[in-house]
Amino acid sequence: MRATHIIELKKRGIELTEQQISFIVNGYVKGEVPDYQMSAFLMAVCLKGMSSAETAFLTNAMLLSGDTVDLSSFGALSADKHSTGGVGDKTTLIVAPIVSSLGCIVAKMSGRGLGHTGGTIDKLESIDGFCTDLSHEEFLSQIKRIGIAVIGQTGNLVPADKMIYALRDATATVDSISLIASSIMSKKLAGGAKNIVLDVKYGAGAFMKTKTQAEKLAKEMISIGEAFNRNVSTLITNADAPLGYAVGNSLEVIEAVQVLKGEMRGEIRDLCVDLASNMLMLSLGWDEEYAVQRANEEIDSGRAFSQMKKWVAAQGGNEEMLENTDLFIKAPYIYEVKSEKEGYIEQINAEKIGLASCMLGAGRTKKEDNIDMFAGILFKIKVSDYVKEGCTLATLHTSNKALIKHAEKLFYEALSFSPSPAESSKNA
Ligand code: URA
């Protein structure tokens, strides 16, 4: 078998066999297939697509490239969630305590932020002392004790995805449904959960720009999950604008705490209850109405917040910071962005806001970059709000004063105004 032959077949749109797909993936991981051949293969996949069978073979080849976590001793109780990437998405911090407080097992490996999107691990590390690097034994013993543990990706979890994803990032081959589905599902399968809930995003801040593409991606991931004997449910959600008011690590933890304390209602709580109820339906067999009711009760009773404190303390974090969020260090520079116009907020482009937050220090452009835990953007407005000239739209938080002007420029570029309310709010 030769890599060039496999690339040639895919270039002509011919369906590949399991052996051919394993050959190219294994060869790449072993260093026998060079970057330029893998890049050509990935571009051929982007342009010609893959059948569902090929996507499942690709997922399996990536899954087999490294370690897997065995959660079979928890039976049907283990549940995981994954978002296909967003700006201001702090849902794991809210959903994981809700469902684990109700008896689901959440043994989760999360990622760090890269580019304009944030990562759960960075957010958790903004809590003093929180350790995201547990040994395998510590991880399992914490799950048995309190039903929840969240750690960073272990060194050898799906190494094929780590290598291929880095190459995709550099070769404009990210936005392929087969490549995204296999990348996400290989990691979810390796994580070991029996039940998987996927929040598939579309819009300006997402890889899938249209709802139809997101639905296709969701269908592909469900079929992979079924082929591997997992229960998968999907939500299709819009990611044109950032989720909630906070973008940036500690700012997002504080917002998550506000939701868990019952102090914040609206889109984040609604999405989290939706995600949580899907996890509860799959792992505990509840019907939708009951699952939604129990998820809401868990927040309103304070039990979900207590569970978050228990979880943070178990991983060495200072749970006092959750009780009193004033204990989070504030960025030395907090700058108010004033509106230059009057009118209705028509759009807040999530990708540009993610980049502005990154520029302030909240994200990385390269894996090795250090991040500023307290940097980010705190909005005072949402899409459809009416604003007057000179009113505060948001505050920019950073440790580096020199970055503010550039971030402010990008912030303004993310916003568009309209003289009349958006269609949806006219009807509201
Ligand atoms: N998230 C992933 O883990 N992989 C992709 O390919 C896209 C989003």
Side-chain angles (χ1 to χ4, degrees):
M1 224 180 275
R2 281 176 307 119
T4 44
H5 177 60
I6 298 169
I7 298 164
E8 179 67 34
L9 291 176
K10 190 69 319 206
K11 186 178 83 181
R12 288 197 269 128
I14 293 168
E15 189 172 34
L16 301 175
T17 64
E18 181 166 15
Q19 290 71 25
Q20 287 164 335
I21 291 173
S22 306
F23 176 85
I24 199 145
V25 171
N26 293 338
Y28 186 56
V29 173
K30 283 193 233 149
E32 291 161 3
V33 169
D35 277 354
Y36 56 82
Q37 286 185 326
M38 195 58 175
S39 305
F41 173 74
L42 294 169
M43 187 56 83
V45 171
C46 275
L47 297 177
K48 294 292 176 178
M50 273 186 155
S51 67
S52 295
E54 286 176 295
T55 308
F57 296 146
L58 178 59
T59 309
N60 196 35
M62 299 211 293
L63 174 65
L64 295 177
S65 71
D67 298 338
T68 55
V69 179
D70 182 5
L71 297 178
S72 56
S73 61
F74 299 104
L77 290 178
S78 58
D80 198 355
K81 71 161 275 285
H82 188 87
S83 151
T84 58
V87 175
D89 189 336
K90 63 282 293 171
T91 53
T92 293
L93 305 178
I94 302 163
V95 171
I98 297 174
V99 301
S100 59
S101 170
L102 283 164
C104 285
I105 296 295
V106 181
K108 195 162 167 49
M109 272 167 235
S110 288
R112 294 187 183 277
L114 187 64
H116 74 279
T117 61
T120 300
I121 291 300
D122 294 329
K123 292 171 201 179
L124 287 169
E125 285 180 353
S126 73
I127 304 169
D128 284 351
F130 195 100
C131 174
T132 56
D133 186 20
L134 304 182
S135 70
H136 189 67
E137 293 68 34
E138 286 166 335
F139 181 61
L140 286 178
S141 118
Q142 184 176 315
I143 297 159
K144 281 189 194 135
R145 223 171 48 249
I146 60 168
I148 178 172
V150 178
I151 55 171
Q153 274 174 18
T154 64
N156 201 34
L157 191 92
V158 202
D161 178 65
K162 241 175 252 167
M163 294 172 69
I164 293 171
Y165 195 84
L167 198 58
R168 285 167 60 207
D169 217 14
T171 56
T173 52
V174 171
D175 58 346
S176 144
I177 288 182
S178 293
L179 297 180
I180 295 177
S182 54
S183 163
I184 291 176
M185 289 307 288
S186 59
K187 285 178 289 209
K188 293 294 102 184
L189 296 170
K194 174 74 179 163
N195 305 296
I196 301 164
V197 174
L198 302 166
D199 180 10
V200 186
K201 307 236 177 237
Y202 70 93
F207 294 119
M208 299 289 108
K209 297 299 174 204
T210 67
K211 194 170 181 191
T212 309
Q213 284 177 323
E215 282 165 353
K216 231 172 134 190
L217 174 59
K219 217 170 133 206
E220 204 62 75
M221 293 196 285
I222 291 173
S223 93
I224 296 171
E226 282 169 353
F228 286 84
N229 197 25
R230 309 295 167 95
N231 306 314
V232 181
S233 75
T234 56
L235 270 64
I236 311 284
T237 61
N238 184 279
D240 281 333
L243 184 63
Y245 290 87
V247 179
N249 299 295
S250 64
L251 298 173
E252 291 190 41
V253 174
I254 294 169
E255 192 170 44
V257 165
Q258 287 165 346
V259 174
L260 281 174
K261 283 181 174 170
E263 293 168 359
M264 185 182 272
R265 294 193 168 260
E267 59 165 354
I268 308 182
R269 174 163 167 157
D270 293 347
L271 175 59
C272 288
V273 166
D274 220 353
L275 288 165
S277 58
N278 272 276
M279 290 167 86
L280 295 166
M281 286 189 274
L282 291 182
S283 46
L284 301 178
W286 292 349
D287 68 37
E288 187 175 357
E289 196 184 336
Y290 185 64
V292 168
Q293 179 202 321
R294 292 296 303 267
N296 274 310
E297 277 171 16
E298 222 51 21
I299 299 175
D300 295 334
S301 64
R303 285 190 295 268
F305 180 56
S306 297
Q307 175 72 352
M308 188 190 196
K309 286 193 290 182
K310 216 188 265 181
W311 163 36
V312 165
Q315 290 191 226
N318 178 2
E319 85 236 59
E320 279 294 304
M321 293 171 79
L322 308 182
E323 207 55 79
N324 175 10
T325 52
D326 288 341
L327 294 175
F328 279 92
I329 295 172
K330 307 271 177 307
Y333 300 100
I334 300 178
Y335 175 84
E336 291 192 8
V337 189
K338 305 281 186 189
S339 181
E340 294 174 330
K341 292 182 186 161
E342 176 163 351
Y344 290 92
I345 304 290
E346 187 180 44
Q347 201 193 36
I348 304 175
N349 181 295
E351 187 171 3
K352 288 188 177 157
I353 292 300
L355 290 171
S357 170
C358 203
M359 194 180 271
L360 290 165
R364 303 177 179 78
T365 45
K366 295 189 299 304
K367 263 198 198 125
E368 319 68 67
D369 290 350
N370 284 324
I371 54 170
D372 178 351
M373 288 298 180
F374 315 105
I377 299 174
L378 198 54
F379 279 89
K380 304 283 178 206
I381 45 116
K382 295 296 293 171
V383 170
S384 299
D385 283 357
Y386 183 77
V387 297
K388 290 201 164 152
E389 198 180 324
C391 80
T392 303
L393 298 172
T395 48
L396 307 184
H397 300 235
T398 185
S399 301
N400 185 347
K401 198 176 175 185
L403 301 171
I404 291 174
K405 279 292 149 206
H406 301 289
E408 185 183 28
K409 185 168 175 288
L410 202 49
F411 180 93
Y412 283 129
E413 281 172 20
L415 257 61
S416 64
F417 291 80
S418 159
S420 51
E423 277 311 311
S424 56
S425 64
K426 269 187 208 161
N427 301 333

